[in-house]
């Protein structure tokens, strides 16, 4: 027991400091995560800034309602809402913080963003040798906030940033890239899972009135720009005039406590906004309810970072006014009115944006930020030197490191729906299968959908937290006919029951908040060859997939423009009086050369006691397969050899017909029978094809998992802006 206690690492004491309602929405998910791991962490909560001001809603109460014990409350705001008051507030905070930090003795102080309160926190902690983890460093917004944010980054020892660009900015600022963690925004962990509440209409009605409908109201949130207060007040006044003229119910939040906010409130009251029937003016909305209001709004307007960050996750239309967010990464849902100098400009923007819906954007997170941050915190070595080191000169663009908490590998989630197994794989940009998961394919639709969603969710979480992979989308390969445009399986093979007229894209996309592509397994195999195999650089080619029970032929032209094209090339007739095919006809290629056809012939020979030769045996109750026919032929069984020659000739004739029809530059054979069919097919081409086609080569695929790799290629090619 003594040895165990000596070897046990003590809990990390983490102090989370929150200054206002906005930063609490980012810090709360981390606080909940820390609190849920008492064996690893000891949480201290410090509250200061506008949280403790009545005019701004006394928002410290929502922290208490979340069942957090507030260890310290610091009244640090000097009222005045001008530049001098901001400076005095920083000074007051610096006077009070040393006593608190000495009492709490935190190992790490977590600070968020770019507020002047956060600058005071970082300054005090750095001078008192307390390690600092800064959230959302490296971003660009075009105001004094940039200077404050970058100053905090230079004081901080560790960085949890939201985007790849922010990470690159921190590296360019000479921060040690081994101490930078690309996490995504912590608020996305909550909003991606919580915005689909069933009671969202109750929330809308409670804030805007019982007569308001979904997507028929506006959320407005405008803050002062401290470097251009006069112009920001003018824009605020023009925005209010435009909203009054637009005549839609509007939820308008009071501005923050920055210099200029007092004048903005005067403008709002001068125009009678608080008494206007179309407006609901509020100081604070709980974050969980604010998510619902933004996600179901017809439009959001103002200059809050929420508009360019969180609103994108819902596809909510946003009108960004002025320069406060200049430089921020935004989704296509944001319409910028940077020179908002007339009411008409803003009104016209409302006409363009109101009521639209955009694809959800995950620029700022994928819902897995908190597990990454907690893992990062646990990796902090308290025995390493406290003094920061900077990296001069600027680090190269490639920052790959063997540090398991930095996300480096852009990847796709690939799903293969087979008749026996349901498989999911994480596939890197270079075609490496990072990890593969497999489960028996359920027999019913409900069980199958449930398993697909669970396996995909588990794999996405595993990729984000443990495997350093960022999932860009999901590609699904399935047997049968598919409408890739709609992501619908029209008609499946007999091996997969209850799997016709199935919309597979919607449930997977809704669950993972990722784009989803769907295609049939034949096309996926061809796509895999084009991206990772012999098809690279070939204008068009034919892929033949030979399985134990099937034969698939797929032709891929480059670029692959005609998505909804699944030709049944396996059912090309090569004989008028040939064996019966599963399609109901006779003499098809599949009736001769598929695994099922070879198995049929093997059983017939076995029933006639003509299959087994010396060196072969069958165990009791062992099923006769195509493999037995091939083995018999290799051991000198003349009848088995004749049947295989017929099968190879039939496949060769079919492929010759395809060469004459679509003129491909290459034939790729894939599957367990590929090596057997290569020579017969090549021979048939030389003997029967037109002279112009006799030089076409037949090669064997080197890909082990063509269906999974093809499914992944749909994601990787699209998300890297290649088209086919």
């Amino acid at each position: 027991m003594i040895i165990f206690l000596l070897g046990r690492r003590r809990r990390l004491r983490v102090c989370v400091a929150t200054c206002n309602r906005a930063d609490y929405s980012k810090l709360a998910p981390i606080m909940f995560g820390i609190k849920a791991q008492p064996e690893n962490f000891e949480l201290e909560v410090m509250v200061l800034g506008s949280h403790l001001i009545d005019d701004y809603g006394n928002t410290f109460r929502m922290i208490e309602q979340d069942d957090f014990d507030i260890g310290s409350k610091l009244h640090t705001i000097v009222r005045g809402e001008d530049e001098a008051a901001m400076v005095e507030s920083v000074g007051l905070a610096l006077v009070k913080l040393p006593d608190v930090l000495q009492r709490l003795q935190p190992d790490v102080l977590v600070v968020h963003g770019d507020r002047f309160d956060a600058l005071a926190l970082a300054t005090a902690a750095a001078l008192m040798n307390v390690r600092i983890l800064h959230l959302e460093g490296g971003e660009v917004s075009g105001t004094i906030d940039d200077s404050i944010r970058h100053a905090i980054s230079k004081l901080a020892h560790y960085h949890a940033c939201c985007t790849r660009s922010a990470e690159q900015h921190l590296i360019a600022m000479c921060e040690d890239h081994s101490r930078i963690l690309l996490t995504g925004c912590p608020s996305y962990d909550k909003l991606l899972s919580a915005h689909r509440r069933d009671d969202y209409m109750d929330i809308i009605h409670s804030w805007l009135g019982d007569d308001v409908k979904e997507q028929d109201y506006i959320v407005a949130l405008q803050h002062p720009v401290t470097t251009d207060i006069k112009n920001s007040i003018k824009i605020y006044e023009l925005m209010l005039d435009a909203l009054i003229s637009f005549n839609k119910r509007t939820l308008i939040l009071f501005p923050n406590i920055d210099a200029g906010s007092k004048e903005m409130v005067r403008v709002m009251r001068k125009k009678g906004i608080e008494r206007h029937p179309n407006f609901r003016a509020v100081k604070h909305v709980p974050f969980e309810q604010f998510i619902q209001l933004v996600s179901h709004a017809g439009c959001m307007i103002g200059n809050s970072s929420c508009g360019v960050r969180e609103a994108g996750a819902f596809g909510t239309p946003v009108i960004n006014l002025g320069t406060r967010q200049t430089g921020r990464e935004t989704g296509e849902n944001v319409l910028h009115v940077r020179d908002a100098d007339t009411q008409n400009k803003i009104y016209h923007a409302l006409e363009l944006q109101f009521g639209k819906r955009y694809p959800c954007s995950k620029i700022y997170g994928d819902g897995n930020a908190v597990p990454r941050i907690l893992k990062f915190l646990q990796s902090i070595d308290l025995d390493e030197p406290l003094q920061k080191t900077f990296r001069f000169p600027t680090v190269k663009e490639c920052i790959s490191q063997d540090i398991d908490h930095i996300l480096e590998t852009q990847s796709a989630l690939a799903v293969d729906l087979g008749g026996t197994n349901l498989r999911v794989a994480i596939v890197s940009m270079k075609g490496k299968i990072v990890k593969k998961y497999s489960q028996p394919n359920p027999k019913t639709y409900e069980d199958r959908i449930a398993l697909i969603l669970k396996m995909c969710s588990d794999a996405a979480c595993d990729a984000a937290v443990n495997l350093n992979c960022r999932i860009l989308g999901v590609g699904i390969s399935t047997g049968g006919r598919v409408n890739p445009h709609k992501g619908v399986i029209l008609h499946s093979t007999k091996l997969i029951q209850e799997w016709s007229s199935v919309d597979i894209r919607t449930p997977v996309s809704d669950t993972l908040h990722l784009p989803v592509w769907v295609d049939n397994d034949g096309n996926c195999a061809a796509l895999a060859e084009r991206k990772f195999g012999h098809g690279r650089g070939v204008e068009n080619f034919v892929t033949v997939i030979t399985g134990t029970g099937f034969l698939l032929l797929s032709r891929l032209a480059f670029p692959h423009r005609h998505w909804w094209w699944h030709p049944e090339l396996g059912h090309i007739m090569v004989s008028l009086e040939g064996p019966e095919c599963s399609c109901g006809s006779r003499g098809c290629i599949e009736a001769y050369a598929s695994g099922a056809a070879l198995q049929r012939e093997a059983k017939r020979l076995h029933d006639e006691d003509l299959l087994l030769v010396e060196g072969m045996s069958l165990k009791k109750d062992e099923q006769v397969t195509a493999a037995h026919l091939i083995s018999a032929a290799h051991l000198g069984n003349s009848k088995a050899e004749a049947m295989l020659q017929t099968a190879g000739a039939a496949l060769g004739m079919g492929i010759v017909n395809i060469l004459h029809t679509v003129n491909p530059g290459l034939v790729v054979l894939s599957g367990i029978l590929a090596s057997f069919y290569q020579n017969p097919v090549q021979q048939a081409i030389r003997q029967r094809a037109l002279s112009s086609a006799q030089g076409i080569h037949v090669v064997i695929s080197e890909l082990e998992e063509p269906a999974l790799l093809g499914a992944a290629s749909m994601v990787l090619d699209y998300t890297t802006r290649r088209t086919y």
Side-chain angles (χ1 to χ4, degrees):
M1 177 61 75
I2 294 175
I3 295 174
F4 175 78
L5 290 175
L6 288 174
R8 183 179 179 182
R9 180 178 177 180
R10 71 174 179 83
R11 295 188 301 167
L12 191 73
R13 182 176 293 175
V14 182
C15 178
V16 179
T18 173
C19 309
N20 54 62
R21 67 191 180 197
D23 77 5
Y24 181 65
S25 69
K26 317 292 178 66
L27 294 168
I30 301 172
M31 293 162 65
F32 280 113
I34 292 173
K35 188 176 179 181
Q37 296 188 25
E39 70 280 5
N40 295 321
F41 302 106
E42 181 181 346
L43 175 64
E44 295 286 350
V45 179
M46 185 192 309
V47 171
L48 64 160
S50 60
H51 271 309
L52 302 170
I53 297 179
D54 182 61
D55 286 353
Y56 292 87
N58 279 327
T59 49
F60 73 90
R61 294 195 182 99
M62 67 181 178
I63 303 173
E64 294 175 335
Q65 289 169 0
D66 285 340
D67 201 26
F68 289 113
D69 294 326
I70 299 176
S72 300
K73 296 179 183 176
L74 279 72
H75 292 271
T76 57
I77 297 298
V78 176
R79 300 304 299 271
E81 286 77 32
D82 57 16
E83 295 94 330
M86 292 168 62
V87 177
E88 291 168 355
S89 297
V90 172
L92 181 58
L94 287 171
V95 169
K96 294 186 175 184
L97 280 167
D99 289 339
V100 176
L101 292 174
Q102 279 185 331
R103 175 171 56 84
L104 297 179
Q105 291 291 307
D107 297 316
V108 178
L109 176 69
V110 180
V111 178
H112 168 269
D114 49 29
R115 306 292 302 147
F116 58 83
D117 323 70
L119 178 61
L121 282 162
T123 302
L127 291 172
M128 295 186 70
N129 291 327
V130 176
R131 288 173 169 81
I132 302 165
L133 171 62
H134 183 210
L135 305 182
E136 299 187 8
E139 296 185 17
V140 178
S141 60
T143 67
I144 190 64
D145 294 349
D146 273 352
S147 300
I148 295 175
R149 185 185 309 110
H150 300 333
I152 296 171
S153 292
K154 301 313 294 180
L155 293 168
H157 302 81
Y158 309 99
H159 310 274
C161 55
C162 297
T163 69
R164 181 69 68 181
S165 293
E167 180 187 41
Q168 294 294 323
H169 293 158
L170 287 169
I171 292 169
M173 290 164 61
C174 303
E175 293 298 308
D176 184 347
H177 55 266
S178 69
R179 295 188 173 197
I180 301 170
L181 173 65
L182 177 57
T183 64
C185 182
S187 65
Y188 269 57
D189 289 26
K190 196 167 188 178
L191 62 89
L192 286 178
S193 60
H195 81 279
R196 295 180 179 274
R197 283 172 47 168
D198 295 333
D199 62 344
Y200 69 91
M201 285 307 302
D202 294 335
I203 295 171
I204 293 172
H205 291 158
S206 68
W207 288 97
L208 288 145
D210 293 337
D211 58 332
V212 175
K213 298 178 181 178
E214 180 181 4
Q215 297 181 21
D216 197 35
Y217 62 90
I218 298 169
V219 175
L221 180 53
Q222 180 90 356
H223 299 303
V225 177
T226 56
T227 52
D228 192 3
I229 294 174
K230 184 177 179 180
N231 188 52
S232 65
I233 293 170
K234 177 186 175 184
I235 292 175
Y236 187 67
E237 186 171 5
L238 293 173
M239 180 191 76
L240 294 178
D241 290 338
L243 288 170
I244 292 170
S245 299
F246 199 67
N247 198 31
K248 288 290 182 181
R249 191 68 55 83
T250 301
L251 179 74
I252 185 166
L253 280 80
F254 278 64
N256 64 21
I257 202 169
D258 282 352
S261 60
K262 185 187 296 182
E263 288 81 357
M264 292 175 75
V265 173
R266 286 198 189 106
V267 169
M268 184 172 68
R269 287 176 172 158
K270 180 181 177 181
K271 292 185 177 293
I273 295 299
E274 291 171 293
R275 302 184 303 276
H276 195 287
N278 267 352
F279 287 83
R280 301 291 185 270
V282 298
K283 296 176 179 177
H284 168 67
V285 180
F287 184 65
E288 294 82 356
Q289 298 183 36
F290 189 65
I291 290 173
Q292 308 302 317
L293 293 167
V294 172
S295 65
H296 298 285
C299 179
M300 185 174 183
I301 189 170
N303 64 2
S304 169
S305 62
C306 174
V308 300
R309 297 170 67 97
E310 283 82 358
F314 316 124
T316 301
V318 172
I319 300 168
N320 179 50
L321 302 177
T323 60
R324 188 170 184 264
Q325 302 301 334
T326 297
R328 290 267 195 200
E329 297 171 77
T330 64
E332 60 181 293
N333 64 308
V334 180
L335 175 63
H336 297 279
V337 187
R338 294 189 176 91
D339 187 16
D341 55 353
T342 68
Q343 176 186 335
N344 285 339
K345 278 186 184 179
I346 300 173
Y347 187 90
H348 185 56
L350 285 166
E351 288 183 317
L352 291 173
Q353 286 286 78
F354 186 79
K356 278 189 177 181
R357 253 22 228 172
Y358 291 90
C360 65
S361 167
K362 298 176 72 174
I363 295 173
Y364 287 94
D366 62 359
N368 293 291
V370 172
R372 295 177 187 133
I373 291 172
L374 297 184
K375 187 176 180 181
F376 191 47
L377 285 170
Q378 286 183 278
S379 72
I380 292 175
D381 183 2
L382 298 178
D383 294 326
E384 69 178 0
L386 183 67
Q387 176 60 47
K388 284 186 66 172
T389 56
F390 299 99
R391 301 299 183 186
F392 301 101
T394 302
V395 179
K396 294 179 181 179
E397 183 178 355
C398 179
I399 57 164
S400 179
Q401 295 287 320
D402 275 334
I403 299 174
D404 62 4
H405 54 257
I406 296 181
L407 299 179
E408 299 170 278
T409 307
Q410 290 187 318
S411 307
L413 209 58
V415 180
D416 178 30
L417 285 158
T420 305
N421 292 318
L422 197 164
R423 301 184 303 154
V424 175
I426 300 165
V427 182
S428 72
M429 192 69 73
K430 293 183 179 180
K432 177 185 176 183
I433 295 180
V434 180
K435 191 169 182 179
K436 187 164 56 178
Y437 315 79
S438 181
Q439 292 284 344
N441 196 341
K443 300 300 182 184
T444 66
Y445 165 81
E446 291 80 6
D447 292 343
R448 188 175 300 121
I449 283 289
L451 182 59
I452 290 171
L453 298 181
K454 183 179 187 305
M455 290 180 70
C456 288
S457 297
D458 291 347
C461 183
D462 196 14
V465 178
N466 298 317
L467 300 175
N468 308 338
C469 296
R470 181 168 295 279
I471 301 299
L472 302 174
V474 183
I476 298 175
S477 166
T478 182
R481 293 181 60 80
V482 175
N483 182 342
H485 295 296
K486 297 182 178 180
V488 174
I489 299 164
L490 302 173
H491 180 73
S492 184
T493 62
K494 294 180 180 179
L495 295 174
I496 309 178
Q497 302 171 9
E498 298 185 20
W499 206 238
S500 296
S501 301
V502 173
D503 177 4
I504 188 66
R505 173 182 291 159
T506 299
V508 176
S509 180
D510 287 349
T511 299
L512 300 182
H513 308 285
L514 289 169
V516 177
W517 288 263
V518 187
D519 212 330
N520 84 326
D521 46 7
N523 277 358
C524 284
L527 291 171
E529 289 295 335
R530 200 214 64 188
K531 185 168 181 66
F532 303 115
H534 292 295
R536 283 178 293 186
V538 180
E539 185 174 358
N540 57 64
F541 58 92
V542 168
T543 304
V544 182
I545 305 99
T546 61
T548 54
F550 58 89
L551 179 80
L552 292 172
L553 290 92
S554 182
R555 179 233 182 187
L556 183 66
F558 182 82
H560 182 43
R561 301 182 188 280
H562 303 291
W563 277 90
W564 194 5
W565 185 56
H566 309 303
E568 298 292 344
L569 302 181
H571 295 290
I572 292 175
M573 291 181 63
V574 293
S575 172
L576 294 177
E577 299 297 333
E580 186 177 354
C581 181
S582 60
C583 70
S585 184
R586 285 184 173 275
C588 300
I589 300 175
E590 278 200 16
Y592 285 101
S594 70
L598 298 183
Q599 182 183 36
R600 180 192 66 228
E601 295 302 315
K603 286 181 177 179
R604 184 174 64 80
L605 285 181
H606 185 259
D607 291 342
E608 297 173 2
D609 202 21
L610 297 174
L611 178 65
L612 300 182
V613 295
E614 185 177 352
M616 289 184 65
S617 63
L618 272 176
K619 296 179 182 179
K620 186 178 180 181
D621 298 329
E622 183 180 355
Q623 187 177 8
V624 177
T625 66
H628 293 106
L629 187 71
I630 296 172
S631 297
H634 286 162
L635 293 172
N637 187 323
S638 59
K639 291 187 177 296
E641 288 178 347
M643 289 177 180
L644 290 176
Q645 288 173 359
T646 301
L651 179 58
M653 288 176 61
I655 290 179
V656 167
N657 289 333
I658 296 170
L659 301 186
H660 294 166
T661 305
V662 297
N663 193 30
L666 183 70
V667 176
V668 182
L669 301 181
S670 176
I672 63 172
L673 300 176
S675 60
F676 172 76
Y677 281 133
Q678 184 182 24
N679 288 334
V681 171
Q682 190 73 72
Q683 186 177 5
I685 292 174
R686 289 171 182 159
Q687 293 176 350
R688 296 176 178 271
L690 295 173
S691 58
S692 59
Q694 289 178 3
I696 292 174
H697 290 292
V698 179
V699 297
I700 298 174
S701 174
E702 297 174 355
L703 303 178
E704 293 184 5
E705 297 285 359
L708 288 172
L709 292 175
S713 76
M714 294 189 289
V715 177
L716 300 175
D717 277 359
Y718 181 84
T719 53
T720 52
R721 297 298 186 268
R722 288 179 58 193
T723 60
Y724 39 22

